[in-house]
Amino acid sequence: MQLLLALRMDLANARFVARDYAAALSDFDEVLPTLAEVLGARHPAVLDCRYNQALSNAALSQNEVALRQMTSLLADVQAARGESDLLALLLRREIAALLIKLGERAAGRRVPARVAPRDGRDPGPGPPGDPAGSNSAGEPGSARQRLT
């Protein structure tokens, strides 16, 4: 069963990377319940599949669904990995971009793009080529397309 599950997950991720978002979304919707049951809801592979599922919804202009999925996923990622985890940071950026796309510009700008260190120092600029405080308003998946 685990081999079949791994193959189905690989197929979903391959379709996602190939930008066949409708097929990928169908695969993610099908494989995620079993994957979470077998591995646990906060397993890295489950979290990554949920992220790709939400990005697929965003790519298909199902922005409200994607926003709900990302908001739920962000809470799970922060609980499992901490608020400064890379996936948590990427989720906050995607959430901000979705809020802006949905016409909630003020709310989108309030979503922190990065986490300040606990000692209160300025964390410095964001990743190379990314101005601090900007969001990923580009194509879904552009920030991260890591296969699980």
Side-chain angles (χ1 to χ4, degrees):
M1 173 154 153
Q2 286 188 355
L3 178 60
L4 178 60
L5 191 59
L7 291 172
R8 289 173 56 202
M9 187 175 66
D10 287 346
L11 177 61
N13 283 320
R15 289 178 170 164
F16 175 80
V17 171
R19 298 179 185 208
D20 186 354
Y21 298 118
L25 182 58
S26 176
D27 291 342
F28 288 128
D29 288 345
E30 186 177 321
V31 76
L32 267 167
T34 306
L35 189 65
E37 182 180 317
V38 171
L39 299 177
R42 293 186 177 162
H43 187 278
V46 174
L47 297 175
D48 285 344
C49 278
R50 287 176 61 196
Y51 181 63
N52 289 344
Q53 177 190 43
L55 289 174
S56 295
N57 272 310
L60 296 170
S61 298
Q62 298 176 27
N63 296 326
E64 293 87 359
V65 173
L67 181 60
R68 282 192 305 274
Q69 289 174 329
M70 287 186 192
T71 302
S72 171
L73 178 56
L74 178 60
D76 289 343
V77 168
Q78 289 180 156
R81 301 181 183 178
E83 65 181 30
S84 61
D85 179 77
L86 176 62
L87 183 53
L89 297 172
L90 293 172
L91 278 164
R92 282 194 290 277
R93 293 173 53 135
E94 294 293 341
I95 288 168
L98 284 169
L99 286 167
I100 291 169
K101 285 179 185 178
L102 291 169
E104 298 181 36
R105 290 184 181 272
R109 289 191 176 113
R110 285 193 304 268
V111 176
R114 51 200 172 122
V115 176
R118 295 196 187 278
D119 63 8
R121 292 180 298 138
D122 182 352
D130 181 34
S134 69
N135 61 50
S136 58
E139 175 181 319
S142 61
R144 179 172 179 263
Q145 289 186 351
R146 183 175 73 145
L147 291 177
T148 53

